[in-house]
Amino acid sequence: MRYKIDITPRIFHFKQPAGTSRGTYTERQSWFIELTSPDAPEHKGIGECAPLPDLSCDYQTDYVDILRNFCDEFENEGNINYVRMSEYPSMLFGLETALAHFNAGTTALFDTPFSRGEEGIPINGLVWMGSYEEMLKRMEEKIGKGFRCVKLKVGAIDFDLELDLVKKIRQRFSASEIELRLDANGGFTPDDALYKLELLSQYAVHSIEQPIKARQWNHMARLCRESPLPIALDEELIGINDPSMMKYMLNIIRPAYIILKPSLHGGMYGTEKWIEAAREKDIKTWMTSALESNVGLNAIAQLAAKTYGPHITMPQGLGTGQLFTDNMEMPLEIRGDELFYNA
């Protein structure tokens, strides 16, 4: 089949600044792949390529040129070169999404109870960094909307204030009422991380993501052995795209969880390889968005439903569809603490 791909840039704007320990986002740059074919003019596939500055392993000044080259290769060969594209996960994810959309003929990329509108996917409510008062208010809003799992970004403001916020949550809601996840985005240091994790562990925290910066395997392995809190890896996975290296890293660090973002961690192909490697070590996984628009969010939700379903019980990080003032239209809907595809 003959294919044609057009690439269109687009900038999205956050409703409110999205703060992490690495900085604050107010805009989000994406490039959209539109896949068509003169042999099937009734079909079209859209995919989103959305690298994150200073985080994605494939974010670079000539990003669009490299993406165009991969799209040209696909037009000529008619298939995705997964080995070559594994080093460019956001591009791979966009092309995989466009091809899945084209083949399915609908944004219901895979046939699952979720894509048929029969089941929702449980999701966590996300509380961005801000002042103590802002974070407390956001936390109360998420709980008021019915979320039973809330993810709190920590590591940017005064730690004693963050600890007090966690304490206040636990004073009002037990662990059976609210599952509390923390994400430090590498905001702690190897010297103070264990002490902080011990203090946080008093409040029945489910897990903490990336307590220290990535690429400190010895320190991270020690934390995973000694921490009273289960540790989840996120940024640690970026740039590791070979399945044998995935297994090697997991064998050294031995985290309780890994958190998978297809735009950062090898596209759909790499995400599935990570899950295979984690299952061999009895490491649990869940998926989350990397601040894509609804196009990327839908693709991750469809992949999660295919991979973990039916009847997903672990909350996924898919509650980002309302971040932007100018998001793309997609039949996604949050009902309580579940994401539904409105088939």
Side-chain angles (χ1 to χ4, degrees):
M1 183 177 287
R2 296 169 296 165
Y3 293 104
K4 181 178 184 298
I5 294 178
D6 293 315
I7 301 172
T8 305
R10 180 160 174 176
I11 295 177
F12 298 96
H13 302 88
F14 285 87
K15 292 179 180 177
Q16 60 186 34
T20 75
S21 61
R22 292 187 303 271
T24 301
Y25 296 107
T26 58
E27 294 181 343
R28 185 72 167 96
Q29 172 78 65
S30 292
W31 286 268
F32 286 88
I33 290 174
E34 181 176 307
L35 176 63
T36 56
S37 171
D39 301 322
E42 73 281 6
H43 280 233
K44 179 171 71 173
I46 303 294
E48 180 177 9
C49 304
L52 281 166
D54 303 321
L55 187 62
S56 298
C57 63
D58 56 357
Y59 184 85
Q60 47 203 292
T61 55
D62 55 350
Y63 184 90
V64 180
D65 294 333
I66 297 172
L67 177 59
R68 182 69 259 175
N69 288 337
F70 281 129
C71 291
D72 290 345
E73 283 185 15
F74 181 84
E75 288 178 345
N76 293 330
E77 299 171 13
N79 54 62
I80 298 174
N81 188 328
Y82 289 99
V83 175
R84 281 204 60 212
M85 290 197 73
S86 64
E87 301 293 326
Y88 301 88
S90 66
M91 302 182 197
L92 175 56
F93 180 54
L95 190 52
E96 287 173 311
T97 301
L99 183 59
H101 183 193
F102 182 91
N103 289 335
T106 168
T107 53
L109 304 183
F110 311 108
D111 184 23
T112 65
F114 171 75
S115 69
R116 295 193 296 270
E118 298 166 2
E119 290 183 359
I121 298 175
I123 60 176
N124 62 250
L126 178 59
V127 176
W128 292 101
M129 287 178 174
S131 69
Y132 174 83
E133 292 76 16
E134 288 171 337
M135 293 174 74
L136 183 60
K137 180 182 177 184
R138 291 169 189 166
M139 176 66 74
E140 290 172 342
E141 287 173 352
K142 294 297 181 186
I143 294 171
K145 289 180 178 178
F147 284 95
R148 291 167 291 174
C149 176
V150 179
K151 176 176 167 180
L152 182 67
K153 296 274 189 178
V154 297
I157 64 173
D158 181 80
F159 178 73
D160 290 335
L161 291 177
E162 293 174 337
L163 189 65
D164 187 59
L165 181 59
V166 173
K167 179 181 178 180
K168 276 187 166 56
I169 295 164
R170 275 292 169 252
Q171 286 173 341
R172 291 180 54 189
F173 302 96
S174 68
S176 62
E177 293 173 298
I178 294 293
E179 179 179 289
L180 184 59
R181 298 175 178 176
L182 304 180
D183 184 2
N185 285 128
F188 301 159
T189 70
D191 292 333
D192 67 15
L194 187 58
Y195 172 69
K196 290 179 176 179
L197 295 180
E198 288 171 347
L199 292 176
L200 290 166
S201 69
Q202 303 173 74
Y203 304 110
V205 173
H206 171 271
S207 59
I208 184 164
E209 294 179 37
Q210 205 68 41
I212 62 174
K213 292 187 189 311
R215 305 297 178 263
Q216 303 180 83
W217 288 8
N218 288 339
H219 291 301
M220 188 67 85
R222 177 180 61 83
L223 283 178
C224 288
R225 288 194 307 269
E226 300 177 7
S227 170
L229 280 184
I231 290 176
L233 302 185
D234 178 357
E235 289 92 337
E236 201 72 64
L237 313 183
I238 296 172
I240 300 176
N241 303 302
D242 178 75
S244 62
M245 186 58 70
M246 295 174 185
K247 296 177 182 180
Y248 179 68
M249 186 273 279
L250 293 179
N251 190 52
I252 290 175
I253 298 181
R254 298 290 179 123
Y257 304 96
I258 60 172
I259 300 166
L260 296 161
K261 300 174 179 175
S263 286
L264 295 175
H265 303 144
M268 295 185 189
Y269 171 83
T271 295
E272 290 172 343
K273 294 299 182 184
W274 273 115
I275 291 171
E276 290 174 14
R279 284 175 175 165
E280 288 181 11
K281 305 294 180 186
D282 199 27
I283 296 168
K284 295 181 174 61
T285 70
W286 71 82
M287 292 187 204
T288 182
S289 70
L291 309 183
E292 297 91 352
S293 78
N294 278 337
V295 173
L297 176 63
N298 176 65
I300 300 167
Q302 300 285 338
L303 179 63
K306 172 192 171 192
T307 305
Y308 299 132
H311 316 311
I312 298 173
T313 56
M314 177 175 281
Q316 309 292 304
L318 303 174
T320 57
Q322 299 170 326
L323 288 178
F324 305 114
T325 60
D326 45 4
N327 211 333
M328 304 282 281
E329 290 295 323
M330 192 63 62
L332 298 173
E333 179 183 354
I334 295 177
R335 304 176 199 164
D337 65 345
E338 291 188 318
L339 182 70
F340 282 83
Y341 181 82
N342 198 345

